[in-house]
């Protein structure tokens, strides 16, 4: 080959590598790029209201319950399963905790404990149905969710509980150095689950089960127990989210958690685009929640109707799942 031909070939190869490198960076950091892009857009569109600490604090506070719920959903997604009951479980936990406080005069600590116990039990029920009865997680969690909704209805009879203890409401009103307590609780839950998945034996087992349950079982991983624990953690997260929601609303209201299911999964699938491993991760889900909350707040500031936010969440979930499917097919092709 002539010297000129070699130079042409080298130039073409360089362009291909550069294009491939740019695509890899875009894929690896697409969530961060989307977050920065949305932030810049709303900052330019509404600088006087969007670029304030009060707005930042409001976004973090309003998204605290969803952050907790999305983190719990992510734990189940890591093991390769789905939990469609978390919204109903949140409603059950809220009804169980608030009712004993409103009707029977139980203390705030006891009410929170009852809510957490209800969420954990519902999660364990889903885990047993999936791990040992071998019911597909879609069906099992829908069934558990239906049962949870029925129990919630039996407890509340569609009533709205008000007049909660001032100590319970302080969960939503307390601030630590101007940071709302709900934000700190949500960050603590997210950090705890992150450490659990990244640094513990359970986290390694959960990743192994998500990659290949049969191979994990052959290597001695207690697959059934890992699945039950993952669903239990999702139930606990739903219960914590319920406490955060009811303390902020100063009341219990029917179907409290059903509106959180779609944005929780949208955030979790958005988190897949953080990093190059195509793995569900707690940090990605947390950033995904903040992105959705920022977009919702920005649209509200731009006087867009409420249905636009729901439309954006649905589109985001569809695009996130589609992009993951394309990347996975590309990875297999390579």
């Amino acid at each position: 080959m002539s010297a000129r031909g070699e130079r042409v070939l080298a130039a073409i190869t360089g362009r291909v590598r550069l294009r491939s490198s740019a695509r890899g960076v875009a894929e690896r950091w697409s969530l961060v790029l989307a977050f920065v892009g949305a932030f810049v857009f709303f900052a330019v569109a509404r600088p006087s209201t969007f670029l304030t600490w009060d707005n930042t604090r409001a976004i973090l506070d309003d998204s605290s319950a969803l952050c907790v719920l999305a983190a719990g959903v992510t734990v189940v997604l890591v093991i390769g399963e789905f939990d469609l009951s978390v919204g109903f479980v949140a409603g059950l936990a809220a009804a169980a905790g608030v009712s004993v406080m409103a009707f029977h005069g139980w203390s705030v600590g006891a009410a929170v404990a009852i809510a957490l116990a209800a969420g954990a039990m519902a999660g364990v029920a889903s885990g047993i149905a999936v791990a040992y009865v071998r019911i597909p997680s879609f069906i099992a969690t829908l069934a558990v969710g239906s049962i949870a909704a029925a129990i919630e209805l039996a407890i509340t009879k569609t009533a709205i509980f008000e007049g909660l203890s001032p100590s319970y409401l302080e969960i939503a009103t307390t601030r630590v150095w101007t940071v709302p307590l709900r934000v700190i609780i949500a960050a603590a839950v997210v950090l705890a689950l992150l450490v659990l998945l990244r640094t513990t034996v359970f986290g390694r087992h959960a990743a192994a089960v998500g990659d290949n349950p049969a191979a994990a079982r052959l290597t001695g991983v207690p697959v059934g127990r890992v699945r039950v624990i993952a669903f239990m953690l999702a139930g606990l997260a739903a219960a914590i989210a319920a406490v955060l929601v009811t303390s902020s609303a100063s009341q219990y209201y029917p179907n409290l958690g059903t509106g959180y299911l779609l944005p929780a999964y949208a955030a979790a699938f958005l988190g897949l685009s953080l990093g190059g491993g195509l793995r569900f991760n707690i940090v990605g889900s947390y950033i995904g929640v903040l992105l959705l909350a920022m977009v919702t707040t920005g649209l509200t500031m731009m006087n867009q109707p409420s249905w636009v936010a729901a439309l954006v969440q649905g589109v985001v979930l569809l695009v996130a799942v589609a992009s993951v499917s394309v990347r996975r097919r590309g990875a297999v092709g390579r």
Side-chain angles (χ1 to χ4, degrees), residues 30-31 265-274 284-285 288-289 291-292 316 320:
S30 57
L31 176 58
Y265 274 97
F269 275 91
L270 276 172
L272 272 175
S273 59
L274 183 66
S285 297
V289 170
L291 172 60
L292 293 175
V316 164

Side-chain angles (χ1 to χ4, degrees), residues 9-310:
L9 180 60
I12 294 174
T13 304
R15 289 175 185 172
V16 171
R17 288 177 178 174
L18 180 61
R19 194 172 300 170
S20 178
S21 176
R23 178 182 176 184
V25 170
E27 289 179 348
R28 186 179 182 86
W29 302 106
S30 57
L31 176 58
V32 176
L33 294 174
F35 187 93
V36 172
F39 180 85
V40 171
F41 174 79
F42 291 118
V44 172
R46 292 291 186 272
S48 60
T49 53
F50 189 80
L51 292 176
T52 62
W53 167 239
D54 287 340
N55 181 53
T56 301
R57 182 169 53 198
I59 290 175
L60 292 172
D61 191 25
D62 292 343
S63 62
S64 57
L66 183 57
C67 285
V68 172
L69 197 61
V73 163
T74 302
V75 176
V76 176
L77 289 170
V78 165
I79 65 168
E81 304 290 352
F82 285 85
D83 189 348
L84 303 181
S85 70
V86 287
F88 301 107
V89 172
L92 169 62
V98 171
S99 63
V100 298
M101 183 168 45
F103 290 161
H104 305 291
W106 289 25
S107 67
V108 172
V112 172
I114 289 293
L116 296 181
M121 289 174 61
V124 168
S126 293
I128 291 174
V130 173
Y132 297 110
V133 186
R134 304 294 177 86
I135 301 174
S137 58
F138 278 103
I139 305 301
T141 56
L142 279 176
V144 170
S146 179
I147 294 170
I151 297 174
E152 176 190 357
L153 180 61
I155 293 173
T156 65
K157 298 178 176 60
T158 69
I160 295 176
F161 300 163
E162 297 179 332
L164 305 184
S165 168
S167 299
Y168 189 78
L169 302 184
E170 285 178 0
I171 298 173
T173 58
T174 300
R175 292 184 179 180
V176 181
W177 294 305
T178 75
V179 178
L181 180 60
R182 294 204 312 162
V183 175
I184 296 173
I185 293 173
V189 172
V190 169
L191 180 61
L193 291 179
L194 174 64
V195 171
L196 182 69
L197 290 178
R198 289 283 184 88
T199 66
T200 66
V201 173
F202 169 79
R204 292 192 292 273
H205 286 175
V209 172
D211 288 340
N212 192 324
R217 186 176 286 108
L218 290 175
T219 58
V221 174
V223 175
R225 186 170 64 193
V226 168
R227 283 174 171 161
V228 172
I229 292 174
F231 279 100
M232 182 191 71
L233 291 172
L236 277 173
I240 295 172
V243 171
L244 297 180
V245 171
T246 50
S247 64
S248 177
S250 303
Q251 63 180 6
Y252 159 84
Y253 52 90
N255 302 318
L256 173 146
T258 53
Y260 288 92
L261 182 64
L262 175 60
Y265 274 97
F269 275 91
L270 276 172
L272 272 175
S273 59
L274 183 66
L278 287 175
R279 290 178 178 274
F280 291 101
N281 62 92
I282 298 294
V283 174
S285 297
Y286 185 69
I287 297 175
V289 170
L290 296 183
L291 172 60
L292 293 175
M294 181 172 59
V295 169
T296 301
T297 300
L299 291 173
T300 302
M301 288 182 175
M302 296 179 70
N303 299 319
Q304 296 298 318
S306 58
W307 61 264
V308 175

